[in-house]
Amino acid sequence: MEDDAVRRIPVHEVGMPLETLSVDELQDRIEILKAEIVRLEAAIEGKTASRDAADAVFKF
């Protein structure tokens, strides 16, 4: 079946009930959240670099 070949990416919402999730599902969510933290930190670095560059241009 086509559904068997496609693995759905689990969605995690902060504060969601965890009682129904297996250990494997919890570990998957931890990996998702770790990857999201890395993505957010990269966005912060990019925005900080842009702001620092703009500050340098407009500093007299």
Side-chain angles (χ1 to χ4, degrees):
M1 291 229 150
E2 189 176 327
D3 292 336
D4 294 335
V6 177
R7 182 172 182 225
R8 288 188 172 181
I9 297 173
V11 175
H12 184 81
E13 293 182 26
V14 174
M16 70 182 287
L18 304 175
E19 295 80 21
T20 60
L21 299 175
S22 70
V23 171
D24 287 339
E25 290 171 320
L26 291 169
Q27 290 173 332
D28 287 345
R29 281 167 170 73
I30 288 171
E31 292 305 313
I32 289 167
L33 293 169
K34 285 180 180 179
E36 184 66 3
I37 289 168
V38 169
R39 189 176 78 92
L40 292 167
E41 289 174 338
I44 289 170
E45 288 177 16
K47 288 180 180 278
T48 301
S50 293
R51 184 183 58 211
D52 291 347
D55 287 346
V57 168
F58 293 107
K59 202 174 228 180
F60 294 100

